Amino acid sequence: MSSFGKLHNRYGDSMSSWHNVIDNILNRFLRIYEIQDEGYAFTSVEKLLSAIDPLMFNLTQMTTKEYLLKKDLPPVFVNELAAGIIKIAYGQSPDVNAFVGTMSLAGAKAGLWSVRGGNQQVPQMLINKCKANLILRKVVKIILKPKIGRAHV
């Protein structure tokens, strides 16, 4: 029997169910790019996540285990497969908040890529290609200027 067959025997339809759960979250999270393009700024992570979609902040208020069980994924899936993925990604258990846990599960989906030597090279190469002058400094104070963007305080 193939590995996929063994997974299906053990976890049944939860293999496709978790993909749907994660796809739903990722599709909602993509709203972050619209918010950035519109020039919004936020004074807290809570306000940013809530602006993306109320579900994003709500995910920080429950564990991954609670969320996945609420989505009718079987305990055997949550305690074995999801737990293993989260442990590999973040060294955590399914008791980590559901925002973090679902993002780590997204990392186990097919179609992802990585760069030999580390993904951090992508922004560095972009900076080099556009010949930008990156100045790394410590942020001491942020002043919101509504004429530049829209502040949400």
Side-chain angles (χ1 to χ4, degrees), residues 37-41 143-152:
D37 288 344
E38 293 167 1
Y40 286 98
I143 301 171
L144 299 175
K145 297 182 178 182
K147 291 182 183 178
I148 295 173
R150 296 178 215 167
H152 288 266

Side-chain angles (χ1 to χ4, degrees), residues 91-118:
Q92 299 290 322
S93 76
D95 292 325
V96 69
N97 80 57
F99 182 80
V100 170
T102 55
M103 292 302 148
S104 69
L105 292 173
K109 290 180 56 68
L112 298 178
W113 54 269
S114 65
V115 175
R116 183 176 294 137

